[in-house]
Amino acid sequence: QVQLVESGGGLVQAGGSLRLSCTASGSIFRNNAMYWYRQAPGKQRELVALITSSSSTNYVDSVKGRFTISRNNAKNTVYLQMNSLKPEDTAVYYCNTELGRLSGSWGQGTQVTVSS
């Protein structure tokens, strides 16, 4: 069983930056791909970024060049560095594992609000 806790969200003005963290308890962290999703008001949950166990990464086009996903296996933590934030980035951000997203298991997320 893996428990994930997201943190680092907050209120920021457009053009600002935030760094989100996702810490996993227990589990075999190093061998799992990790994912960041977000859900904006009135919209479906959207895949934002992923990082594999070998540290390959991929991003949705709307954040490419602005967001960076990384991981620190020793700390059981995945990060999402968000730069040049836009109001359209406003959402609740969730991290998850492969098994978690397939089984529909989600944590509490962390709120990111970007003002104009």
Side-chain angles (χ1 to χ4, degrees):
Q1 298 183 16
V2 179
Q3 293 184 345
L4 304 173
V5 179
E6 301 94 340
S7 63
L11 176 63
V12 65
Q13 294 191 56
S17 298
L18 286 172
R19 189 196 195 204
L20 307 184
S21 298
C22 171
T23 299
S25 60
S27 79
I28 304 176
F29 182 84
R30 293 182 178 182
N31 202 39
N32 287 315
M34 297 296 295
Y35 303 79
W36 280 102
Y37 283 77
R38 67 186 179 188
Q39 187 167 24
K43 296 184 178 180
Q44 295 294 110
R45 186 179 287 109
E46 171 190 38
L47 176 62
V48 177
L50 67 88
I51 183 167
T52 69
S53 59
S54 60
S55 296
S56 296
T57 61
N58 202 7
Y59 305 89
V60 68
D61 286 344
S62 60
V63 309
K64 195 170 296 183
R66 301 188 296 119
F67 291 10
T68 302
I69 186 172
S70 62
R71 64 194 299 160
N72 186 326
N73 292 333
K75 295 183 177 180
N76 277 7
T77 301
V78 176
Y79 305 96
L80 187 67
Q81 178 67 47
M82 306 185 296
N83 299 324
S84 302
L85 283 162
K86 305 174 180 180
E88 64 197 66
D89 296 318
T90 295
V92 178
Y93 284 71
Y94 303 88
C95 66
N96 218 333
T97 64
E98 178 72 17
L99 285 176
R101 70 190 192 101
L102 290 175
S103 66
S105 179
W106 301 92
Q108 53 96 39
T110 185
Q111 175 72 51
V112 172
T113 303
V114 185
S115 63
S116 300

